[in-house]
């Protein structure tokens, strides 16, 4: 983080940091906010949201935090030009703030359990490579396929296991460098372990079918 901030200072640009996953740290790791770097406060913009920690995906309620007065002044102009979030989302967000701290502790522990489960399962599939994420609730896996996007399409359009399939997100568009991520997919481990077990089995069977039917192996 310090290297990024130093680079931003050198080139006179802002660093925008999304801290929406700050409660989701695993393996005993502790979260450290970009706002702790006081010496760079004039070029830091931090954003946060209710959507992840309280499973309120789709609700557009959060915060933009900066100590740069010009940033805040211009952000306020933009905010005044837009409508506010729906009333029901504001009520839900207010209620979420009253949630006991134990809720977030339990949620973090559950996601860590899910992470461990799916990483272990994917690593048992021949040819699949994946690292163990230290935060959030996604992982990136490299698959033994010729094209991750084609595989994702195949899983949705041409394959099912007992009437079920798995949707994955091809990773190539997550990278700036052309060609990187061509065989990678992003998987969200947001289901319970029973459903994740079925998902891993589906991916395993889908890979075998794809390699036979599409890649001709």
């Amino acid at each position: 983080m310090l290297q990024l901030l130093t680079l931003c200072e050198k080139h006179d640009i802002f660093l925008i940091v999304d801290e929406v996953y700050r409660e989701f740290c695993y393996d005993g790791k502790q979260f450290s906010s970009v706002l702790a770097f006081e010496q760079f406060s004039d070029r830091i913009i931090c954003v946060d949201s209710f959507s992840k920690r309280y499973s309120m995906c789709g609700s557009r309620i959060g915060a933009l935090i900066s100590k740069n007065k010009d940033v805040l002044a211009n952000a306020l102009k933009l905010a005044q030009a837009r409508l506010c979030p729906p009333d029901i989302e504001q009520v839900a967000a207010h209620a979420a703030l009253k949630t006991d701290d134990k809720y977030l502790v339990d949620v973090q522990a559950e996601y860590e359990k899910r992470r461990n489960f799916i990483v272990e399962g994917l690593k048992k599939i021949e040819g699949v490579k994946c690292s163990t994420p230290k935060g959030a609730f996604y992982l990136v896996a490299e698959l033994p396929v010729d094209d991750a996007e084609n595989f994702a399409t195949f899983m949705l359009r041409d394959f099912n296991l007992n009437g079920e399939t798995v949707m994955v997100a091809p990773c190539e568009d997550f990278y700036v460098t052309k060609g990187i991520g061509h065989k990678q997919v992003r998987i969200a481990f947001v289901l319970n372990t029973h459903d994740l077990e079925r998902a891993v089995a589906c991916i395993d069977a889908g890979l075998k079918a794809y390699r036979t039917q599409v890649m001709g192996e």
Side-chain angles (χ1 to χ4, degrees):
M1 185 69 75
L2 182 59
Q3 289 178 316
L4 284 173
L5 287 166
T6 302
L7 187 66
C8 288
E9 184 175 53
K10 178 181 178 181
H11 295 282
D12 193 25
I13 57 178
F14 289 100
L15 180 65
I16 303 175
V17 180
D18 182 359
E19 296 191 350
V20 72
Y21 295 103
R22 55 192 168 92
E23 282 84 9
F24 300 94
C25 297
Y26 309 128
D27 304 322
K29 302 292 184 182
Q30 296 297 313
F31 171 76
S32 179
S33 175
V34 68
L35 297 172
F37 294 87
E38 292 281 349
Q39 66 271 37
F40 300 100
S41 60
D42 62 326
R43 61 187 67 257
I44 291 173
I45 300 173
C46 178
V47 293
D48 202 350
S49 168
F50 282 78
S51 63
K52 300 299 187 291
R53 67 179 58 87
Y54 296 115
S55 298
M56 294 171 60
C57 300
S59 63
R60 295 295 180 254
I61 298 182
L64 183 149
I65 306 160
S66 178
K67 293 186 177 181
N68 186 305
K69 293 182 179 180
D70 289 334
V71 168
L72 292 180
N74 283 283
L76 183 59
K77 292 176 185 177
L78 178 63
Q80 290 175 333
R82 296 175 60 85
L83 297 175
C84 67
D87 289 350
I88 191 170
E89 292 183 8
Q90 295 185 53
V91 171
H94 183 260
L97 288 173
K98 299 178 182 179
T99 304
D100 190 279
D101 290 343
K102 186 177 182 299
Y103 164 78
L104 292 174
V105 173
D106 292 343
V107 168
Q108 185 275 340
E110 174 63 23
Y111 274 112
E112 185 165 2
K113 181 176 74 173
R114 295 176 183 180
R115 179 208 63 169
N116 294 340
F117 185 89
I118 193 168
V119 168
E120 181 180 349
L122 289 173
K123 286 184 175 180
K124 291 179 180 178
I125 300 176
E126 184 179 358
V128 173
K129 301 175 184 177
C130 69
S131 58
T132 303
K134 301 300 183 183
F137 40 69
Y138 309 97
L139 63 81
V140 172
E142 183 169 303
L143 307 180
V145 297
D146 55 350
D147 186 289
E149 186 161 354
N150 287 344
F151 173 72
T153 301
F154 172 82
M155 291 292 286
L156 294 178
R157 188 180 61 191
D158 304 316
F159 175 82
N160 75 83
L161 179 66
N162 301 320
E164 298 179 323
T165 192
V166 174
M167 178 185 290
V168 295
C171 280
E172 189 167 14
D173 288 342
F174 286 91
Y175 297 94
V176 174
T177 304
K178 192 71 174 176
I180 296 181
H182 188 63
K183 298 183 179 182
Q184 295 178 348
V185 296
R186 188 177 77 158
I187 300 172
F189 42 92
V190 294
L191 303 177
N192 59 52
T193 52
H194 173 69
D195 290 339
L196 287 176
E197 183 176 21
R198 288 155 54 201
V200 170
C202 195
I203 292 171
D204 188 13
L207 282 169
K208 292 174 181 175
Y210 180 84
R211 289 165 66 88
T212 300
Q213 298 174 29
V214 179
M215 296 175 62
E217 294 186 359

